[in-house]
Amino acid sequence: MPLTVAVQMDPLDQINIAGDSTFALMLSAQARGHRLFHYAAEDLNWSDGRLWTKAHPVTVQRVAGDHFRFEAPVRLDLGDEADVVLMRQDPPFDLGYITATHLLERIAHKTLVVNDPAQVRNAPEKIFVLDYARFMPPTLVTRSLDEARAFLAEHGEIVVKPLHGNGGKAIFKVGSDGANLSALIEVFNQTWREPHMIQAFLPAVARGDKRIVLVDGEVAGAINRLPGEGEIRSNLAVGGSAEKTELTAREREICEALGPELRARGLLFVGIDVIGGEWLTEINVTSPTGIVAIERFDGTDVAGLIWDAIERKVKR
């Protein structure tokens, strides 16, 4: 059954089609005969119980520089005229992002929103993961310089990162001498009102940071992301590279622990990050990536698996 699919994402002319997961999902949907519409989160409107947006009917093709064609924009009622909304705009997870989840929550009883907007709001990457602290490296969430110093003294080397950061941005390693820790916490406190995440540094990150994708709570595939030269960050967005990988017994244990909760929350497309085959660091639910690299190394059609799951849910 052809579906009407509204894709809430960033401007299409700014994406890298070679690795963009949303673009891969759009190509897969189009191949199944689904009709695609593109809109931006800031174009949402609500009145008298109805949520609508100005949206462009769009077709996509894997041709760099000529990868999409817009038709004239239309007023699209997301509650009555769309079967599926893909909420795929990139963070920052700010008030604009949060407001979009509140608005989309008002149609979730009629239209399937992927991922569930209320659960995306309630499960930010570095907060939701705290529910699984037994799988995490030693972790501190704080704004306190004194607490950060005590944590550094206990663990020798640490990593400091913003609680709602993304794509490997603003991640700093601090050595055992604590050089620049006070200045770093000062800058973080001036930049962000929320606390920050501090973790024990894991030397195993030099061997990679594994991205594991789960679809409706089941493992769909994984890649190992290696840091670039002179880097501790392995995110592909900051110069990391990907390689084929297999899951360890510990990683399978982590996935089995997470799967039922992800499924119950309506978090259909999730990417988790695991270092050293055992340390869970993030549960990515806002706009997970990695499916193009997984298909390149394993031949697994993760986009197809996601659409299989969506189609099952829409038919219910």
Side-chain angles (χ1 to χ4, degrees):
M1 177 184 70
L3 302 175
T4 297
V5 179
V7 186
Q8 177 177 298
M9 64 179 292
D10 300 316
L12 269 169
D13 60 357
Q14 297 178 13
I15 66 171
N16 174 9
I17 68 170
D20 191 273
S21 292
T22 307
F23 188 73
L25 287 169
M26 294 173 76
L27 283 171
S28 183
Q30 183 175 271
R32 291 173 180 235
H34 303 324
R35 190 177 186 202
L36 297 171
F37 291 81
H38 174 279
Y39 74 94
E42 56 264 30
D43 292 329
L44 288 171
N45 306 277
W46 182 95
S47 179
D48 197 25
R50 305 177 78 86
L51 182 68
W52 77 93
T53 184
K54 182 179 75 172
H56 288 271
V58 62
T59 56
V60 290
Q61 58 182 358
R62 194 172 286 285
V63 179
D66 186 25
H67 54 279
F68 72 98
R69 299 284 173 87
F70 277 161
E71 297 177 26
V74 298
R75 173 181 165 132
L76 183 67
D77 187 310
L78 295 177
D80 289 341
E81 297 175 337
D83 299 298
V84 181
V85 171
L86 295 183
M87 188 171 61
R88 292 288 304 171
Q89 83 270 21
D90 290 337
F93 193 73
D94 56 13
L95 280 175
Y97 208 116
I98 291 169
T99 299
T101 69
H102 280 293
L103 292 172
L104 288 171
E105 187 180 2
R106 280 155 173 74
I107 61 160
H109 63 292
K110 297 193 289 185
T111 301
L112 178 66
V113 183
V114 179
N115 285 318
D116 180 276
Q119 294 303 328
V120 166
R121 187 173 67 246
N122 293 334
E125 277 75 338
K126 297 181 184 71
I127 297 292
F128 182 28
V129 71
L130 302 180
D131 289 353
Y132 300 91
R134 64 190 184 277
F135 298 122
M136 296 178 67
T139 298
L140 171 69
V141 177
T142 190
R143 287 175 60 87
S144 167
L145 176 59
D146 288 342
E147 295 296 339
R149 282 173 169 159
F151 190 81
L152 174 64
E154 180 179 0
H155 297 288
E157 295 180 303
I158 59 175
V159 170
V160 183
K161 49 190 173 181
L163 201 60
H164 297 298
N166 71 294
K169 300 181 183 73
I171 297 178
F172 294 88
K173 177 186 175 185
V174 178
S176 57
D177 61 359
N180 293 322
L181 178 60
S182 61
L184 185 60
I185 295 298
E186 179 182 338
V187 169
F188 269 48
N189 283 350
Q190 290 175 350
T191 305
W192 294 287
R193 295 186 62 187
E194 64 270 16
H196 326 298
M197 177 169 274
I198 303 175
Q199 293 181 317
F201 174 68
L202 302 174
V205 74
R207 300 192 298 274
D209 177 358
K210 199 169 294 185
R211 163 57 56 90
I212 305 171
V213 170
L214 296 98
V215 176
D216 205 18
E218 300 291 335
V219 174
I223 51 168
N224 191 42
R225 302 173 299 178
L226 297 165
E229 185 176 354
E231 273 281 1
I232 63 166
R233 303 175 298 171
S234 55
N235 306 71
L236 302 185
V238 294
S241 60
E243 66 178 8
K244 185 178 176 64
T245 191
E246 301 290 339
L247 298 193
T248 66
R250 175 69 163 182
E251 288 165 342
R252 293 194 178 279
E253 179 187 358
I254 292 171
C255 292
E256 289 170 4
L258 267 61
E261 182 66 14
L262 300 179
R263 197 177 304 114
R265 286 174 175 252
L267 297 171
L268 189 147
F269 176 14
V270 172
I272 68 170
D273 297 336
V274 182
I275 293 176
E278 60 177 323
W279 298 111
L280 176 67
T281 58
E282 292 190 16
I283 303 174
N284 296 276
V285 305
T286 50
S287 185
T289 61
I291 66 175
V292 176
I294 290 172
E295 181 170 5
R296 184 166 70 248
F297 287 107
D298 289 351
T300 304
D301 181 11
V302 181
L305 294 175
I306 292 169
W307 282 110
D308 287 346
I310 289 172
E311 289 167 1
R312 287 195 301 269
K313 291 179 182 295
V314 171
K315 288 178 181 178
R316 289 176 185 171

